[in-house]
PDB file of all heavy atoms in Angstrom:
ATOM      1  N   VAL A 165       1.798  -8.523 -10.660  1.00 83.00           N
ATOM      2  CA  VAL A 165       1.803  -7.618 -11.813  1.00 83.00           C
ATOM      3  C   VAL A 165       2.581  -8.252 -12.962  1.00 83.00           C
ATOM      4  O   VAL A 165       2.135  -8.247 -14.115  1.00 83.00           O
ATOM      5  CB  VAL A 165       2.406  -6.250 -11.433  1.00 83.00           C
ATOM      6  CG1 VAL A 165       2.698  -5.411 -12.681  1.00 83.00           C
ATOM      7  CG2 VAL A 165       1.451  -5.490 -10.517  1.00 83.00           C
ATOM      8  N   ILE A 169       1.028  -9.388 -16.648  1.00 71.00           N
ATOM      9  CA  ILE A 169       1.603  -8.880 -17.899  1.00 71.00           C
ATOM     10  C   ILE A 169       2.072 -10.028 -18.786  1.00 71.00           C
ATOM     11  O   ILE A 169       1.879 -10.018 -20.002  1.00 71.00           O
ATOM     12  CB  ILE A 169       2.755  -7.895 -17.613  1.00 71.00           C
ATOM     13  CG1 ILE A 169       2.174  -6.610 -16.991  1.00 71.00           C
ATOM     14  CG2 ILE A 169       3.534  -7.565 -18.876  1.00 71.00           C
ATOM     15  CD1 ILE A 169       3.219  -5.669 -16.461  1.00 71.00           C
ATOM     16  N   TYR A 174      -1.402  -7.002 -23.427  1.00 52.00           N
ATOM     17  CA  TYR A 174      -2.085  -6.262 -24.487  1.00 52.00           C
ATOM     18  C   TYR A 174      -2.161  -4.795 -24.101  1.00 52.00           C
ATOM     19  O   TYR A 174      -1.282  -4.281 -23.423  1.00 52.00           O
ATOM     20  CB  TYR A 174      -3.449  -6.870 -24.825  1.00 52.00           C
ATOM     21  CG  TYR A 174      -4.486  -6.836 -23.736  1.00 52.00           C
ATOM     22  CD1 TYR A 174      -5.534  -5.921 -23.786  1.00 52.00           C
ATOM     23  CD2 TYR A 174      -4.451  -7.745 -22.672  1.00 52.00           C
ATOM     24  CE1 TYR A 174      -6.501  -5.898 -22.807  1.00 52.00           C
ATOM     25  CE2 TYR A 174      -5.418  -7.718 -21.688  1.00 52.00           C
ATOM     26  CZ  TYR A 174      -6.441  -6.793 -21.757  1.00 52.00           C
ATOM     27  OH  TYR A 174      -7.394  -6.783 -20.782  1.00 52.00           O
ATOM     28  N   SER A 175      -3.187  -4.067 -24.515  1.00 48.00           N
ATOM     29  CA  SER A 175      -3.188  -2.606 -24.415  1.00 48.00           C
ATOM     30  C   SER A 175      -3.194  -2.074 -22.991  1.00 48.00           C
ATOM     31  O   SER A 175      -2.910  -0.905 -22.773  1.00 48.00           O
ATOM     32  CB  SER A 175      -4.400  -2.036 -25.162  1.00 48.00           C
ATOM     33  OG  SER A 175      -5.600  -2.506 -24.579  1.00 48.00           O
ATOM     34  N   GLU A 176      -3.543  -2.926 -22.011  1.00 53.00           N
ATOM     35  CA  GLU A 176      -3.594  -2.447 -20.641  1.00 53.00           C
ATOM     36  C   GLU A 176      -2.239  -2.576 -19.936  1.00 53.00           C
ATOM     37  O   GLU A 176      -2.147  -2.416 -18.733  1.00 53.00           O
ATOM     38  CB  GLU A 176      -4.654  -3.237 -19.845  1.00 53.00           C
ATOM     39  CG  GLU A 176      -6.070  -3.002 -20.310  1.00 53.00           C
ATOM     40  CD  GLU A 176      -6.586  -1.630 -19.885  1.00 53.00           C
ATOM     41  OE1 GLU A 176      -5.869  -0.932 -19.138  1.00 53.00           O
ATOM     42  OE2 GLU A 176      -7.678  -1.260 -20.325  1.00 53.00           O
ATOM     43  N   PHE A 177      -1.174  -2.836 -20.680  1.00 53.00           N
ATOM     44  CA  PHE A 177       0.136  -3.087 -20.096  1.00 53.00           C
ATOM     45  C   PHE A 177       0.554  -1.999 -19.115  1.00 53.00           C
ATOM     46  O   PHE A 177       0.853  -2.259 -17.954  1.00 53.00           O
ATOM     47  CB  PHE A 177       1.181  -3.215 -21.213  1.00 53.00           C
ATOM     48  CG  PHE A 177       2.595  -3.370 -20.728  1.00 53.00           C
ATOM     49  CD1 PHE A 177       3.090  -4.607 -20.381  1.00 53.00           C
ATOM     50  CD2 PHE A 177       3.426  -2.262 -20.614  1.00 53.00           C
ATOM     51  CE1 PHE A 177       4.389  -4.748 -19.938  1.00 53.00           C
ATOM     52  CE2 PHE A 177       4.726  -2.393 -20.169  1.00 53.00           C
ATOM     53  CZ  PHE A 177       5.206  -3.642 -19.832  1.00 53.00           C
ATOM     54  N   SER A 178       0.565  -0.750 -19.580  1.00 57.00           N
ATOM     55  CA  SER A 178       1.074   0.324 -18.735  1.00 57.00           C
ATOM     56  C   SER A 178       0.186   0.547 -17.521  1.00 57.00           C
ATOM     57  O   SER A 178       0.666   0.920 -16.450  1.00 57.00           O
ATOM     58  CB  SER A 178       1.219   1.620 -19.532  1.00 57.00           C
ATOM     59  OG  SER A 178      -0.030   2.074 -19.989  1.00 57.00           O
ATOM     60  N   LYS A 179      -1.132   0.299 -17.654  1.00 71.00           N
ATOM     61  CA  LYS A 179      -2.032   0.479 -16.515  1.00 71.00           C
ATOM     62  C   LYS A 179      -1.794  -0.605 -15.470  1.00 71.00           C
ATOM     63  O   LYS A 179      -1.880  -0.337 -14.272  1.00 71.00           O
ATOM     64  CB  LYS A 179      -3.489   0.474 -16.984  1.00 71.00           C
ATOM     65  CG  LYS A 179      -3.827   1.634 -17.912  1.00 71.00           C
ATOM     66  CD  LYS A 179      -5.318   1.831 -18.076  1.00 71.00           C
ATOM     67  CE  LYS A 179      -5.902   2.476 -16.836  1.00 71.00           C
ATOM     68  NZ  LYS A 179      -7.316   2.835 -17.018  1.00 71.00           N
ATOM     69  N   THR A 180      -1.487  -1.813 -15.915  1.00 76.00           N
ATOM     70  CA  THR A 180      -1.161  -2.863 -14.955  1.00 76.00           C
ATOM     71  C   THR A 180       0.126  -2.527 -14.218  1.00 76.00           C
ATOM     72  O   THR A 180       0.248  -2.767 -13.014  1.00 76.00           O
ATOM     73  CB  THR A 180      -1.033  -4.219 -15.673  1.00 76.00           C
ATOM     74  OG1 THR A 180      -2.237  -4.493 -16.386  1.00 76.00           O
ATOM     75  CG2 THR A 180      -0.785  -5.343 -14.673  1.00 76.00           C
ATOM     76  N   MET A 181       1.084  -1.940 -14.917  1.00 81.00           N
ATOM     77  CA  MET A 181       2.331  -1.539 -14.281  1.00 81.00           C
ATOM     78  C   MET A 181       2.100  -0.559 -13.137  1.00 81.00           C
ATOM     79  O   MET A 181       2.826  -0.569 -12.137  1.00 81.00           O
ATOM     80  CB  MET A 181       3.270  -0.889 -15.307  1.00 81.00           C
ATOM     81  CG  MET A 181       3.835  -1.833 -16.349  1.00 81.00           C
ATOM     82  SD  MET A 181       5.041  -2.980 -15.659  1.00 81.00           S
ATOM     83  CE  MET A 181       6.370  -1.842 -15.277  1.00 81.00           C
ATOM     84  N   VAL A 182       1.071   0.277 -13.259  1.00 85.00           N
ATOM     85  CA  VAL A 182       0.779   1.264 -12.224  1.00 85.00           C
ATOM     86  C   VAL A 182       0.507   0.591 -10.886  1.00 85.00           C
ATOM     87  O   VAL A 182       0.867   1.111  -9.825  1.00 85.00           O
ATOM     88  CB  VAL A 182      -0.428   2.137 -12.641  1.00 85.00           C
ATOM     89  CG1 VAL A 182      -0.873   3.034 -11.498  1.00 85.00           C
ATOM     90  CG2 VAL A 182      -0.069   2.985 -13.847  1.00 85.00           C
ATOM     91  N   GLU A 185       3.606   0.123  -9.133  1.00 91.00           N
ATOM     92  CA  GLU A 185       4.129   1.400  -8.648  1.00 91.00           C
ATOM     93  C   GLU A 185       3.487   1.784  -7.310  1.00 91.00           C
ATOM     94  O   GLU A 185       4.183   2.234  -6.394  1.00 91.00           O
ATOM     95  CB  GLU A 185       3.865   2.499  -9.680  1.00 91.00           C
ATOM     96  CG  GLU A 185       4.590   2.319 -10.997  1.00 91.00           C
ATOM     97  CD  GLU A 185       6.097   2.325 -10.824  1.00 91.00           C
ATOM     98  OE1 GLU A 185       6.612   3.197 -10.096  1.00 91.00           O
ATOM     99  OE2 GLU A 185       6.752   1.457 -11.393  1.00 91.00           O
ATOM    100  N   ILE A 315      -3.802   8.728 -18.820  1.00 64.00           N
ATOM    101  CA  ILE A 315      -2.581   9.439 -19.210  1.00 64.00           C
ATOM    102  C   ILE A 315      -1.457   8.418 -19.296  1.00 64.00           C
ATOM    103  O   ILE A 315      -1.210   7.689 -18.332  1.00 64.00           O
ATOM    104  CB  ILE A 315      -2.234  10.539 -18.196  1.00 64.00           C
ATOM    105  CG1 ILE A 315      -3.371  11.576 -18.147  1.00 64.00           C
ATOM    106  CG2 ILE A 315      -0.904  11.210 -18.546  1.00 64.00           C
ATOM    107  CD1 ILE A 315      -3.226  12.603 -17.052  1.00 64.00           C
ATOM    108  N   PRO A 316      -0.769   8.306 -20.436  1.00 55.00           N
ATOM    109  CA  PRO A 316       0.283   7.294 -20.585  1.00 55.00           C
ATOM    110  C   PRO A 316       1.381   7.451 -19.541  1.00 55.00           C
ATOM    111  O   PRO A 316       1.756   8.567 -19.175  1.00 55.00           O
ATOM    112  CB  PRO A 316       0.833   7.555 -21.996  1.00 55.00           C
ATOM    113  CG  PRO A 316      -0.248   8.286 -22.697  1.00 55.00           C
ATOM    114  CD  PRO A 316      -0.940   9.111 -21.655  1.00 55.00           C
ATOM    115  N   ARG A 317       1.872   6.317 -19.054  1.00 52.00           N
ATOM    116  CA  ARG A 317       2.963   6.297 -18.081  1.00 52.00           C
ATOM    117  C   ARG A 317       4.125   5.503 -18.646  1.00 52.00           C
ATOM    118  O   ARG A 317       3.984   4.695 -19.547  1.00 52.00           O
ATOM    119  CB  ARG A 317       2.511   5.646 -16.764  1.00 52.00           C
ATOM    120  CG  ARG A 317       1.519   6.490 -15.999  1.00 52.00           C
ATOM    121  CD  ARG A 317       1.022   5.753 -14.775  1.00 52.00           C
ATOM    122  NE  ARG A 317       2.102   5.332 -13.903  1.00 52.00           N
ATOM    123  CZ  ARG A 317       2.693   6.107 -13.001  1.00 52.00           C
ATOM    124  NH1 ARG A 317       2.313   7.358 -12.863  1.00 52.00           N
ATOM    125  NH2 ARG A 317       3.645   5.644 -12.232  1.00 52.00           N
ATOM    126  N   THR A 318       5.297   5.712 -18.045  1.00 49.00           N
ATOM    127  CA  THR A 318       6.464   4.943 -18.456  1.00 49.00           C
ATOM    128  C   THR A 318       6.236   3.462 -18.204  1.00 49.00           C
ATOM    129  O   THR A 318       5.542   3.089 -17.262  1.00 49.00           O
ATOM    130  CB  THR A 318       7.718   5.383 -17.685  1.00 49.00           C
ATOM    131  OG1 THR A 318       8.821   4.561 -18.078  1.00 49.00           O
ATOM    132  CG2 THR A 318       7.540   5.242 -16.183  1.00 49.00           C
ATOM    133  N   THR A 319       6.796   2.625 -19.048  1.00 44.00           N
ATOM    134  CA  THR A 319       6.702   1.179 -18.846  1.00 44.00           C
ATOM    135  C   THR A 319       7.998   0.611 -18.288  1.00 44.00           C
ATOM    136  O   THR A 319       8.209  -0.591 -18.305  1.00 44.00           O
ATOM    137  CB  THR A 319       6.370   0.470 -20.182  1.00 44.00           C
ATOM    138  OG1 THR A 319       7.361   0.817 -21.160  1.00 44.00           O
ATOM    139  CG2 THR A 319       5.001   0.871 -20.670  1.00 44.00           C
ATOM    140  N   THR A 320       8.882   1.497 -17.778  1.00 45.00           N
ATOM    141  CA  THR A 320      10.099   1.010 -17.130  1.00 45.00           C
ATOM    142  C   THR A 320       9.730   0.376 -15.805  1.00 45.00           C
ATOM    143  O   THR A 320       9.103   1.022 -14.963  1.00 45.00           O
ATOM    144  CB  THR A 320      11.079   2.167 -16.871  1.00 45.00           C
ATOM    145  OG1 THR A 320      11.339   2.830 -18.095  1.00 45.00           O
ATOM    146  CG2 THR A 320      12.375   1.654 -16.268  1.00 45.00           C
ATOM    147  N   PRO A 321      10.090  -0.891 -15.548  1.00 45.00           N
ATOM    148  CA  PRO A 321       9.731  -1.540 -14.291  1.00 45.00           C
ATOM    149  C   PRO A 321      10.266  -0.762 -13.089  1.00 45.00           C
ATOM    150  O   PRO A 321      11.360  -0.207 -13.127  1.00 45.00           O
ATOM    151  CB  PRO A 321      10.411  -2.923 -14.398  1.00 45.00           C
ATOM    152  CG  PRO A 321      10.557  -3.149 -15.862  1.00 45.00           C
ATOM    153  CD  PRO A 321      10.826  -1.800 -16.449  1.00 45.00           C
ATOM    154  N   GLU A 322       9.475  -0.711 -11.979  1.00 46.00           N
ATOM    155  CA  GLU A 322       9.868   0.094 -10.832  1.00 46.00           C
ATOM    156  C   GLU A 322      11.150  -0.373 -10.186  1.00 46.00           C
ATOM    157  O   GLU A 322      11.862   0.413  -9.593  1.00 46.00           O
ATOM    158  CB  GLU A 322       8.750   0.144  -9.782  1.00 46.00           C
ATOM    159  CG  GLU A 322       8.129  -1.148  -9.412  1.00 46.00           C
ATOM    160  CD  GLU A 322       8.728  -1.843  -8.209  1.00 46.00           C
ATOM    161  OE1 GLU A 322       9.786  -1.449  -7.693  1.00 46.00           O
ATOM    162  OE2 GLU A 322       8.136  -2.827  -7.796  1.00 46.00           O
ATOM    163  N   ARG A 323      11.522  -1.637 -10.355  1.00 43.00           N
ATOM    164  CA  ARG A 323      12.752  -2.086  -9.707  1.00 43.00           C
ATOM    165  C   ARG A 323      13.981  -1.424 -10.307  1.00 43.00           C
ATOM    166  O   ARG A 323      15.051  -1.442  -9.703  1.00 43.00           O
ATOM    167  CB  ARG A 323      12.873  -3.615  -9.791  1.00 43.00           C
ATOM    168  CG  ARG A 323      12.979  -4.194 -11.194  1.00 43.00           C
ATOM    169  CD  ARG A 323      13.100  -5.712 -11.122  1.00 43.00           C
ATOM    170  NE  ARG A 323      13.158  -6.335 -12.423  1.00 43.00           N
ATOM    171  CZ  ARG A 323      12.101  -6.655 -13.148  1.00 43.00           C
ATOM    172  NH1 ARG A 323      10.898  -6.388 -12.674  1.00 43.00           N
ATOM    173  NH2 ARG A 323      12.227  -7.230 -14.325  1.00 43.00           N
ATOM    174  N   PHE A 324      13.833  -0.842 -11.519  1.00 42.00           N
ATOM    175  CA  PHE A 324      14.941  -0.131 -12.135  1.00 42.00           C
ATOM    176  C   PHE A 324      14.908   1.362 -11.816  1.00 42.00           C
ATOM    177  O   PHE A 324      15.733   2.115 -12.289  1.00 42.00           O
ATOM    178  CB  PHE A 324      14.932  -0.317 -13.656  1.00 42.00           C
ATOM    179  CG  PHE A 324      15.173  -1.738 -14.074  1.00 42.00           C
ATOM    180  CD1 PHE A 324      14.249  -2.409 -14.850  1.00 42.00           C
ATOM    181  CD2 PHE A 324      16.321  -2.408 -13.682  1.00 42.00           C
ATOM    182  CE1 PHE A 324      14.450  -3.732 -15.232  1.00 42.00           C
ATOM    183  CE2 PHE A 324      16.529  -3.729 -14.051  1.00 42.00           C
ATOM    184  CZ  PHE A 324      15.602  -4.400 -14.835  1.00 42.00           C
ATOM    185  N   ARG A 325      13.897   1.781 -11.019  1.00 44.00           N
ATOM    186  CA  ARG A 325      13.779   3.194 -10.713  1.00 44.00           C
ATOM    187  C   ARG A 325      13.834   3.439  -9.224  1.00 44.00           C
ATOM    188  O   ARG A 325      13.289   4.391  -8.705  1.00 44.00           O
ATOM    189  CB  ARG A 325      12.461   3.740 -11.277  1.00 44.00           C
ATOM    190  CG  ARG A 325      12.297   3.521 -12.754  1.00 44.00           C
ATOM    191  CD  ARG A 325      11.344   4.523 -13.372  1.00 44.00           C
ATOM    192  NE  ARG A 325      10.032   4.473 -12.751  1.00 44.00           N
ATOM    193  CZ  ARG A 325       9.075   3.610 -13.093  1.00 44.00           C
ATOM    194  NH1 ARG A 325       9.299   2.709 -14.013  1.00 44.00           N
ATOM    195  NH2 ARG A 325       7.902   3.656 -12.526  1.00 44.00           N
TER     196      ARG A 325
END
Side-chain angles (χ1 to χ4, degrees):
V165 168
I169 291 170
Y174 64 104
S175 62
E176 294 286 354
F177 175 84
S178 63
K179 296 195 75 173
T180 304
M181 291 289 291
V182 172
E185 295 299 315
I315 298 172
R317 290 175 56 82
T318 177
T319 56
T320 304
E322 48 93 350
R323 63 180 178 275
F324 295 122
R325 304 204 302 276

